[in-house]
Amino acid sequence: MRVMAQICMVMNLDKCIGCHTCSVTCKQTWTSRPGVEYVWFNNVETRPGQGYPRRYEDQERWRGGWKLTSRGRLVPRAGGRARRLASIFANPLLPNIRDYYEPWTYDYNALFDTPAGDDFPVAAPRSLISGERMNTITWSANWDDNLGGMPEHESDDVVLQRIQDKVRMELEQTFMFYLPRICEHCINPSCVASCPSGALYKRVEDGIVLVDQDRCRGWRMCVTGCPYKKMYFNHRTGKAEKCTFCFPRIEVGQPTVCSETCVGRLRYIGVLLYDADRAPEAAATPREQDLYPAQLGLFLNPHDPEVRRAAEQAGIPHDWVQAARRSPVYDLIATYGVALPLHPEYRTLPMVWYVPPLSPVVEAITASGHDGEDYRNLFGAIDTLRIPVSYLAELFTAGDPAPVELALRRLAAMRSHRRRINLGEPVDPEIAASVGFDVDKLDRMFRLLSLAKYEERYVIPTAAAGDVRRLEETELSGCSLDYEGGPGMGGTESSGPFGEASGRPAPLSVETFHGLRERQTSESAAETAGHRGRINLLNWDGRGLPEGLFPKRREDGDGHGDGHGDGRRDGHVDRGEEPGAGPGEVSGRGEGGES
Amino acid sequence: MPSPVDIFLWGAFPYIAVAILISGLIWRYRYDKFGWTTRSSELYESRLLRWGSPMFHFGLLVVLLGHILGLFIPAGWTAAVGVSETFYSFLAVTLGIVAGVLTYAGIALLIWRRRTTGPVFLATTVNDKAMYVFLVAALTAGLATTLINASTLHYDYRVDVSPWVRSLFVFQPEVALMARTPIEYRVHTITGLVLFAIVPFTRLVHAFAAPVQYLFRPYIVYRARDPRNLGTAALRPGWKRSDV
């Protein structure tokens, strides 16, 4: 037994309202830079739907994940090492930018530069890839949000195709839920296995899968390798990027940005202990439907003194073992058994799990005029509503309905049980017993799932205590800009002597800071001449004026710009006449909050 | 007695070019690991790349192999294993033309793609454009040399060029040998050496990242956090001198 610890996430899909706050805050933090405009480390898909990138689950096409050879060996589905190297010059399994979507901005300047006329000027979309005007925007990361375009795109849902089931249109009416996705930080990551340079690695301490930007050579094999298509190619720097599980936050005990900002409070983060020795064996389980129980079998019970001793012998810090004992993730996955892995059939042993949504079932019963909260009705409905269950089973258990049904039954039992308490009816221990729980256990599950206290949702041990001082950017440990190359580097225009992307990379926070500042203070919006100077309102922090949204103010006599003051109010706005004719660039706007 | 120009070109310049190559690689590895990448544009366009890139790269690998065989295996060795001179040159010329034309067609397709595909052209830097000039110059000279050789078939480069190359490695450059070769050989040699010299400073540097080690590595890579590399801040003592 070789005990390893992994930071793991569980999402409770019942609570996801599809608001995309996680996606937006993640993008704001990690991918609001040129080169990764099309990248969403976190995205929220509506199911049924195609997903992002389109039809990523079609492994017949993309060949992500692992496959079992006839001799029982695991090899990447796209081919072994030699095969990968042979296709290194052109990789037919690499998605095109249009499989994601072509990122764009708008010609906001046109709203002001257009001469007065009979028609309203429009801000036309402009591609951030080619710099050219786009006549029609046809796709984006969540274009089929809320079943948008469903009758047309329904046949494109890979999962739906697999359940050879009837009544599809009816399913569309009764059944829809949201699926937020981040990198799965798999125990058996096929992206890592596909990387020819060895730049991708799984961190020993917390199991987070990261890209070493200095070792990545841009061979793009990881994009093919990942069956979830959560590896991305930064087309500006020529390097792979991926969800980092917000490791700088995790290391100091904070939840990821997507979790922190989740309005539904549906994400849980905690430590899982697993037996790394048995992982290859579990990933090579012959039957795909057995992969979920096999992975479940890898997880070690942190309440077992034997396991704790083995963990400490394996060098796992004491506070990590303690955190594993309080782990909400372990409870949802193992103790209550309501969380399930996403697409275990890819054999990567994913570590972001999901509590399947019960709400569509409840809604379906209520719509048919029955009491949707009664557990007998609910249990019956779970059994008879084959379509949602088989759809969920295709997502979470490689098609085996039993674990999904059990999870939904437990959720249903919790619902009925708590309703009796709310209505002042006597507690019926029969409800808990019907799903193999006692009342106390059902109540504890309710507390974790429904009350979902912050400190119970996130139990995150910090990195080794001795390192804490260096992780926090205090006065003692120096300035956070004190990296090689010094402050003032970074920003979207910094490049080494070999053109774009050469030279030392600035820390991402610094690049984002400069990018934000440049976007706020540069003169033009959607520059046709290149990637620079684009305006992205997502990045506007509300301070100052986002440059390019408003025309330049004419230099007036009073000499000093009024800092924070709202420049629009005094109405010195040139419309149409000689844009940019002012002698100097001096203006106080936008600077106040930054410098 | 070779002229001073010949001495420089065939006695000094090869060493200069290789010195720039090696020191440039070391320098770039130390200071620009981040920029050491293929900067692939496959994400933007893959239809043309799917043909052009393998044609160019595989063609180039064969060309490279041909150079190694031709320059480093003395004529005496091939004769010793029973390969006649005519058969050897027939083989060399045929393979050279096939690989050369493949490479040349590949680079032509790739440059055409780069110019005509909007996003790819937008991602092309000045450095890239300059690099293409040198690359195409070396390829053109090389292919021309092969074609001239094929059409005349009376010059054997293993008499002059190959011994000269080998003499470089023992630091006894036989300048006179190279100085008397046909002009196309000399032009190709110079353009090739210039290309060597610029490799570390262009995107061509990705050739030196060829991931051979992948074949011998376990699939899953584990790495522990580097204790020297936590956070972005430099390590400082845990105390601070008081100003008092």
Side-chain angles (χ1 to χ4, degrees):
Chain A
M1 182 160 73
R2 185 162 55 99
V3 185
M4 289 189 81
Q6 162 119 19
I7 294 276
C8 177
M9 188 185 284
V10 169
M11 300 189 213
N12 181 3
L13 295 185
D14 245 345
K15 288 178 153 189
C16 184
I17 58 170
C19 67
H20 299 275
T21 307
C22 47
S23 306
V24 171
T25 50
C26 170
K27 189 155 189 45
Q28 176 85 312
T29 310
W30 290 106
T31 56
S32 67
R33 294 162 289 138
V36 284
E37 307 93 345
Y38 74 102
V39 171
W40 297 80
F41 288 166
N42 182 107
N43 73 296
V44 183
E45 300 164 2
T46 303
R47 304 316 297 255
Q50 297 190 48
Y52 157 82
R54 274 189 251 196
R55 295 177 57 79
Y56 69 93
E57 288 154 309
D58 185 0
Q59 303 310 338
E60 295 298 309
R61 167 75 186 86
W62 301 118
R63 308 202 160 270
W66 302 83
K67 70 170 181 221
L68 213 51
T69 63
S70 49
R71 287 185 300 148
R73 274 185 58 240
L74 268 187
V75 287
R77 188 186 283 270
R81 298 177 178 91
R83 182 110 171 264
R84 291 287 75 208
L85 286 193
S87 64
I88 205 162
F89 300 132
N91 177 3
L93 301 176
L94 185 81
N96 187 273
I97 186 82
R98 279 172 191 83
D99 290 309
Y100 301 87
Y101 67 97
E102 188 167 356
W104 71 90
T105 182
Y106 293 96
D107 269 333
Y108 293 108
N109 266 345
L111 298 177
F112 302 100
D113 296 347
T114 312
D118 290 338
D119 306 314
F120 286 109
V122 288
R126 190 174 284 281
S127 166
L128 287 174
I129 297 288
S130 67
E132 284 155 22
R133 280 274 294 272
M134 296 167 78
N135 286 329
T136 323
I137 296 167
T138 52
W139 200 256
S140 88
N142 51 353
W143 207 242
D144 53 357
D145 211 18
N146 293 336
L147 301 181
M150 194 53 196
E152 187 189 335
H153 290 302
E154 182 218 6
S155 57
D156 291 332
D157 183 321
V158 179
V159 176
L160 211 52
Q161 279 173 344
R162 272 206 298 266
I163 55 173
Q164 344 73 325
D165 239 320
K166 7 52 220 206
V167 229
R168 286 194 174 164
M169 297 315 289
E170 194 183 318
L171 172 134
E172 177 206 329
Q173 286 150 15
T174 60
F175 185 60
M176 173 189 104
F177 66 97
Y178 301 103
L179 183 71
R181 294 200 304 124
I182 63 170
C183 165
E184 296 282 341
H185 297 277
C186 309
I187 290 181
N188 187 34
S190 52
C191 56
V192 173
S194 314
C195 176
S197 311
L200 266 157
Y201 61 98
K202 191 168 178 65
R203 282 216 301 201
V204 176
E205 292 87 354
D206 47 21
I208 295 176
V209 177
L210 291 173
V211 187
D212 183 339
Q213 291 286 309
D214 271 351
R215 284 183 73 170
C216 174
R217 300 284 174 258
W219 303 118
R220 321 174 294 293
M221 290 301 161
C222 50
V223 183
T224 300
C226 176
Y228 303 93
K229 290 291 169 279
K230 279 293 173 189
M231 288 295 322
Y232 301 93
F233 184 71
N234 181 328
H235 58 85
R236 191 97 187 275
T237 63
K239 303 265 170 166
E241 293 192 20
K242 69 180 290 298
C243 159
T244 63
F245 216 95
C246 288
F247 71 89
R249 291 174 61 89
I250 293 288
E251 283 173 356
V252 292
Q254 294 174 330
T256 63
V257 168
C258 54
S259 309
E260 180 81 87
T261 58
C262 176
V263 267
R265 308 195 298 180
L266 57 93
R267 295 184 187 229
Y268 297 79
I269 297 176
V271 176
L272 269 183
L273 302 178
Y274 68 95
D275 184 358
D277 276 343
R278 284 190 288 124
E281 181 194 322
T285 305
R287 241 181 101 235
E288 288 183 343
Q289 287 75 20
D290 295 334
L291 279 160
Y292 158 62
Q295 189 175 358
L296 206 54
L298 286 183
F299 302 144
L300 301 169
N301 182 356
H303 307 294
D304 179 353
E306 203 58 39
V307 167
R308 291 212 298 273
R309 200 169 309 126
E312 306 225 347
Q313 267 169 9
I316 295 172
H318 180 71
D319 54 339
W320 278 65
V321 179
Q322 291 304 313
R325 296 178 72 182
R326 297 194 296 121
S327 171
V329 167
Y330 179 80
D331 284 344
L332 291 173
I333 289 176
T335 312
Y336 306 130
V338 290
L340 302 167
L342 181 64
H343 288 305
E345 71 272 22
Y346 298 158
R347 300 182 179 278
T348 60
L349 306 179
M351 290 301 266
V352 174
W353 287 36
Y354 295 88
V355 178
L358 182 68
S359 310
V361 182
V362 179
E363 270 165 37
I365 305 173
T366 314
S368 65
H370 295 84
D371 182 356
E373 306 271 9
D374 186 295
Y375 79 102
R376 278 170 298 258
N377 285 347
L378 270 175
F379 283 6
I382 291 168
D383 288 340
T384 47
L385 281 176
R386 300 297 307 173
I387 300 161
V389 169
S390 52
Y391 189 92
L392 292 172
E394 279 299 336
L395 277 183
F396 299 124
T397 54
D400 181 7
V404 177
E405 261 164 23
L406 181 64
L408 291 180
R409 278 165 165 267
R410 284 179 173 161
L411 294 173
M414 180 184 84
R415 221 172 166 119
S416 298
H417 167 69
R418 292 304 304 187
R419 190 176 73 147
R420 292 181 75 87
I421 292 176
N422 276 345
L423 296 182
E425 295 170 12
V427 169
D428 181 2
E430 184 55 35
I431 297 179
S434 67
V435 292
F437 282 7
D438 57 30
V439 170
D440 181 48
K441 198 169 176 182
L442 212 51
D443 279 331
R444 274 185 287 131
M445 185 169 98
F446 163 77
R447 184 179 166 84
L448 189 57
L449 282 177
S450 298
L451 300 186
K453 296 287 184 194
Y454 188 91
E455 57 284 353
E456 288 172 22
R457 267 181 292 144
Y458 309 126
V459 180
I460 305 167
T462 52
D467 298 328
V468 165
R469 183 180 55 77
R470 298 187 44 207
L471 291 171
E472 60 186 27
E473 291 168 344
T474 63
E475 191 194 8
L476 275 184
S477 60
C479 169
S480 60
L481 296 177
D482 202 6
Y483 55 92
E484 193 185 336
M489 298 285 286
T492 49
E493 52 199 327
S494 112
S495 270
F498 310 116
E500 269 195 283
S502 65
R504 298 293 310 162
L508 188 136
S509 55
V510 176
E511 187 184 344
T512 306
F513 172 82
H514 284 279
L516 183 62
R517 173 131 133 185
E518 196 203 44
R519 280 188 286 269
Q520 287 184 5
T521 52
S522 72
E523 279 304 317
S524 51
E527 192 101 50
T528 48
H531 297 287
R532 291 196 41 233
R534 54 179 75 133
I535 181 166
N536 181 348
L537 281 178
L538 279 185
N539 296 332
W540 181 45
D541 63 358
R543 286 182 294 185
L545 296 179
E547 263 287 7
L549 254 197
F550 302 100
K552 242 166 100 174
R553 280 173 61 199
R554 202 166 35 193
E555 279 306 308
D556 36 26
D558 61 7
H560 54 278
D562 48 346
H564 284 288
D566 186 348
R568 282 164 296 188
R569 228 175 282 145
D570 37 278
H572 285 289
V573 177
D574 300 336
R575 207 156 285 221
E577 49 162 302
E578 298 181 271
E585 306 296 314
V586 190
S587 87
R589 61 182 158 182
E591 299 279 307
E594 299 286 345
S595 39
Chain B
M1 182 64 197
S3 71
V5 174
D6 280 336
I7 291 177
F8 172 75
L9 285 181
W10 319 118
F13 187 60
Y15 293 111
I16 296 173
V18 171
I20 294 176
L21 173 70
I22 293 174
S23 54
L25 285 176
I26 293 172
W27 176 77
R28 184 137 188 205
Y29 184 76
R30 291 187 58 178
Y31 292 101
D32 189 27
K33 281 198 202 89
F34 183 63
W36 197 307
T37 151
T38 58
R39 294 231 332 277
S40 163
S41 57
E42 192 176 2
L43 192 69
Y44 303 135
E45 200 282 340
S46 56
R47 205 171 46 86
L48 293 172
L49 185 95
R50 195 166 298 172
W51 288 98
S53 179
M55 272 163 71
F56 171 71
H57 284 96
F58 283 120
L60 200 62
L61 286 178
V62 176
V63 167
L64 191 71
L65 196 73
H67 277 74
I68 291 173
L69 290 180
L71 295 177
F72 293 104
I73 302 202
W77 293 18
T78 47
V81 292
V83 180
S84 76
E85 183 53 44
T86 39
F87 180 70
Y88 176 86
S89 50
F90 169 76
L91 202 71
V93 163
T94 319
L95 212 64
I97 289 179
V98 171
V101 167
L102 202 67
T103 312
Y104 210 73
I107 192 75
L109 190 61
L110 288 177
I111 291 178
W112 186 68
R113 163 185 180 271
R114 190 160 277 280
R115 182 64 194 86
T116 53
T117 313
V120 185
F121 187 57
L122 206 62
T124 308
T125 63
V126 178
N127 183 303
D128 293 343
K129 290 171 190 164
M131 180 276 291
Y132 278 116
V133 172
F134 288 103
L135 181 63
V136 171
L139 288 178
T140 310
L143 189 61
T145 308
T146 309
L147 290 176
I148 292 169
N149 192 9
S151 59
T152 56
L153 267 185
H154 58 59
Y155 178 71
D156 182 7
Y157 61 86
R158 294 205 290 178
V159 174
D160 298 331
V161 185
S162 304
W164 170 73
V165 170
R166 292 195 292 268
S167 74
L168 290 173
F169 281 83
V170 292
F171 300 101
Q172 299 292 329
E174 298 188 32
V175 175
L177 285 182
M178 195 61 205
R180 69 180 190 211
T181 56
I183 179 74
E184 65 267 18
Y185 282 89
R186 282 177 282 153
V187 171
H188 176 54
T189 308
I190 292 298
T191 48
L193 286 172
V194 171
L195 189 66
F196 281 178
I198 66 160
V199 160
F201 313 103
T202 63
R203 66 191 301 171
L204 294 179
V205 73
H206 74 263
F208 287 89
V212 186
Q213 75 282 3
Y214 181 51
L215 292 168
F216 312 102
R217 185 199 90 192
Y219 273 129
I220 307 296
V221 178
Y222 286 97
R223 253 164 88 178
R225 240 186 349 233
D226 183 353
R228 289 163 305 162
N229 206 11
L230 288 179
T232 53
L235 187 58
R236 301 259 177 93
W239 46 270
K240 199 179 175 197
R241 189 180 297 278
S242 147
D243 289 335
V244 180

